[in-house]
Amino acid sequence: MSITFRISVKIIFIFLISLTLFSCASRQFQVPQGAGLRIFDYEEVLEKATEDCQSVNSLELLLAINGKSGDSSIRGRVRTAILKPSFLRLEGLTPYGSPSFVLISNRSAAVLLLPRDRRAIVEATTADLLQSITGLYFDQEDFLGVLTGCLVSQPQPKEARRYQGNMIGIELHNEAKLFIESSDESSLIVAGILRSISVQYSDYQLGLPRALHIQTTNAEQIPTELSATLSQLNVNVDISEEVFSTIVPDGFSLMTLDEFHGLNGSME
C-alpha cells in the first residue's frame, strides 16, 4: 500500500512510502487526578523501572510513524541510529532511491540534508530540526530517552507521589515527570511528561517499549499527535562516530530553516 509521509510544521514537502498501516497506541493514558500521597522511598522504584533503558548506550532501529502535526499528516519509516551522549542520525526511507531527508547531529553541529533536492540546512539546532520534521521539540540527548522509555537521558528524581492503585509519579529535573506502575514484582514506566510533550509507552519486549504515543500538551504549540512503533532493534552495537559526520556533500546548496518551512512542493 502506498501512503504519504508529510513532514511539516507548516506545509513543507511530501514523499511516498510503501508501508502497511499499523495500529499503535492502545488506550490513552490518563494523568492521575488529585495531589496524591507524597512518598520518600521511591529511589528503588525508579532504579528498577529505568534499569533496562539506562543500560542502552547505542541503538539502531526502524521507527514507523503515523500521526498529525498541525494540518499535515506524518506517516512513514525512519531508519534511526543513536549513540550516547549526543549522536543522532535519522533517515526518511522511500520505496526506492535516496532518502527523503537525513538529519545528523553530533556534539558540535547538526545538519538536515534533502538528498533529492540536493539542499542542506546547517544553521539550526538539533531541537529546531527535529521540530521541523516531527512537530515535537526536544534535543538529541533526550531522543534516546524518549524512545527507550527513560524519557530523558539521565532521570534525576526530585520527589514522588503515590496515586490510586499502583501508580507512582516521580518528578524529575528538567521539567519532566515519570508515571510508573509499581508492585513487588515489577516497576514499569507507562507514561511521562517532558516539558510540553507527553509520552505513553506500551508493548514492552525485553525491557524496552515497542509502541509509543506522543503528543503536545501546550496550547501555544502546533498541536501534534504521533503513534510510533519500534522494530529491528539492535542494542549496544558498535556504531562508528563517522556515521554522524555533519559534512555537507559536494553539490549541495545551503538553505535556511525559514526557507525550509516555506517549501510547498513534493519529492517523488
Side-chain angles (χ1 to χ4, degrees), residues 13 30 32 64 67 73 91 95 117 129 158 161 182 209 222 227 264:
F13 61 84
Q30 299 295 323
S73 297
E91 296 183 9
D117 205 30
L129 294 177
K158 294 169 59 178
R161 295 181 181 275
S182 178
I222 294 173
S227 293
N264 184 8

Side-chain angles (χ1 to χ4, degrees), residues 4-31:
T4 301
F5 184 177
R6 187 167 299 175
I7 299 176
S8 172
V9 169
K10 297 177 184 175
I11 297 177
I12 300 177
F13 61 84
I14 301 171
F15 67 88
L16 299 179
I17 287 181
S18 295
L19 176 69
T20 301
L21 282 175
F22 55 88
S23 174
C24 270
S26 38
R27 57 185 176 83
Q28 188 71 22
F29 175 77
Q30 299 295 323
V31 175

Side-chain angles (χ1 to χ4, degrees), residues 192-207:
I193 298 174
L194 177 59
R195 293 180 285 277
S196 57
I197 298 170
S198 70
V199 187
Q200 178 182 346
Y201 296 104
S202 59
D203 189 20
Y204 274 81
Q205 299 176 34
L206 301 177

Side-chain angles (χ1 to χ4, degrees), residues 80-255:
T80 304
I82 307 173
L83 177 64
K84 276 187 175 180
S86 54
F87 295 90
L88 173 65
R89 184 184 180 98
L90 304 176
E91 296 183 9
L93 301 183
T94 58
Y96 55 88
S98 303
S100 59
F101 71 89
V102 181
L103 190 159
I104 309 167
S105 175
N106 56 38
R107 292 188 184 96
S108 58
V111 62
L112 180 64
L113 304 176
L114 307 178
R116 295 187 171 193
D117 205 30
R118 301 191 68 78
R119 304 182 78 177
I121 302 170
V122 296
E123 297 294 333
T125 67
T126 305
D128 286 335
L129 294 177
L130 282 171
Q131 187 178 44
S132 293
I133 291 173
T134 66
L136 303 170
Y137 190 89
F138 40 72
D139 60 29
Q140 71 268 39
E141 292 187 8
D142 287 333
F143 197 84
L144 178 63
V146 168
L147 288 185
T148 57
C150 274
L151 188 66
V152 294
S153 57
Q154 295 181 332
Q156 298 179 2
K158 294 169 59 178
E159 64 175 55
R161 295 181 181 275
R162 182 180 295 278
Y163 299 95
Q164 186 174 7
N166 295 325
M167 187 67 66
I168 293 177
I170 300 182
E171 294 277 356
L172 307 176
H173 290 277
N174 300 325
E175 301 177 72
K177 186 172 185 177
L178 288 175
F179 293 96
I180 301 171
E181 285 185 349
S182 178
S183 65
D184 293 338
E185 293 76 28
S186 66
S187 293
L188 191 68
I189 297 172
V190 295
I193 298 174
L194 177 59
R195 293 180 285 277
S196 57
I197 298 170
S198 70
V199 187
Q200 178 182 346
Y201 296 104
S202 59
D203 189 20
Y204 274 81
Q205 299 176 34
L206 301 177
L208 298 177
R210 296 298 193 272
L212 283 69
H213 187 82
I214 310 174
Q215 65 183 107
T216 53
T217 60
N218 190 328
E220 296 180 359
Q221 289 184 301
I222 294 173
T224 299
E225 186 170 3
L226 303 176
S227 293
T229 56
L230 287 65
S231 63
Q232 301 180 24
L233 269 70
N234 293 309
V235 179
N236 292 336
V237 293
D238 290 333
I239 306 177
S240 170
E241 291 188 9
E242 295 179 359
V243 171
F244 307 97
S245 171
T246 55
I247 296 175
V248 176
D250 292 338
F252 277 60
S253 60
L254 300 184
M255 66 187 302

